[in-house]
């Protein structure tokens, strides 16, 4: 069972960007956490990051194909600020038909009002918000449970 972990814009700055909000953990640490969590659950995590919306869309399209072919359980996706702005990512998730768990490190509902709306939530299979980087592990657990229940 394979899981795609996608991180969007500015998440490459984890560890130095707003440590009071995001902590001192780096993206490399998050990737290692996801790979270890997936492996402990009998799965494999493919971790990727891009600051470019089109690249993220392409990866979601690829994930849809892999999911239909039975090669991918789904996607754990922290879209960063694109969560609040991207109808294109909404459409990609909806069109690809791949289960996506939306993840946010911080509690976006306790932050600026523009972060309270997500274009991804209506097409996400689940949402994990405000648990720090442990949210990725919760998302992996949820995604694998959904995949195993569906098979």
């Amino acid at each position: 069972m394979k899981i795609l972990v996608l991180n969007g814009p500015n998440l490459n700055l984890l560890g130095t960007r707003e440590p009071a909000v995001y902590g001192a953990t780096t993206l490399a640490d998050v990737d290692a956490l996801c790979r270890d969590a997936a492996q402990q659950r009998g799965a494999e995590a493919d971790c990727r990051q891009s600051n470019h919306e089109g690249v993220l869309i392409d990866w979601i399209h690829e994930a849809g194909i892999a999911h239909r072919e039975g090669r991918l359980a789904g996607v754990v996706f922290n879209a960063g600020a694109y969560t609040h702005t991207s109808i294109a990512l909404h459409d990609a998730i909806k069109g690809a038909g791949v289960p996506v768990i939306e993840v946010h490190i911080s509690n976006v509902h306790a932050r600026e009002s523009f972060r309270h709306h997500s274009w991804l939530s209506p097409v996400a299979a689940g949402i994990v918000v405000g648990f720090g980087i442990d949210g990725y592990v919760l998302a992996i657990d949820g995604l694998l449970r959904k995949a195993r229940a569906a098979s």
Side-chain angles (χ1 to χ4, degrees), residues 7-144:
N7 283 288
N10 300 312
L11 287 157
N12 56 304
L13 299 177
L14 284 176
T16 60
R17 175 187 175 211
E18 298 180 79
V21 174
Y22 299 106
T25 305
T26 67
L27 183 59
D29 296 330
V30 170
D31 290 350
L33 175 72
C34 291
R35 287 186 187 104
D36 289 346
Q39 184 177 25
Q40 290 170 9
R41 290 152 180 81
E44 177 187 348
D46 176 5
C47 302
R48 305 176 189 179
Q49 187 275 331
S50 180
N51 292 317
H52 305 283
E53 186 177 31
V55 172
L56 295 166
I57 290 168
D58 290 343
W59 288 339
I60 290 167
H61 292 176
E62 290 172 15
I65 294 166
H67 177 69
R68 283 190 297 282
E69 293 175 349
R71 297 183 287 116
L72 184 78
V75 179
V76 170
F77 192 16
N78 184 341
Y82 286 143
T83 302
H84 319 292
T85 64
S86 182
I87 296 169
L89 283 169
H90 166 108
D91 289 349
I93 293 166
K94 188 175 181 180
V98 62
V100 171
I101 306 295
E102 178 183 344
V103 175
H104 301 283
I105 295 170
S106 68
N107 179 354
V108 292
H109 303 289
R111 297 181 63 197
E112 304 94 339
S113 62
F114 67 84
R115 296 185 195 277
H116 297 177
H117 177 76
S118 167
W119 288 105
L120 307 185
S121 294
V123 292
I127 306 161
V128 180
V129 177
F131 288 95
I133 65 165
D134 291 335
Y136 288 87
V137 177
L138 295 170
I140 288 168
D141 282 339
L143 189 59
L144 289 173

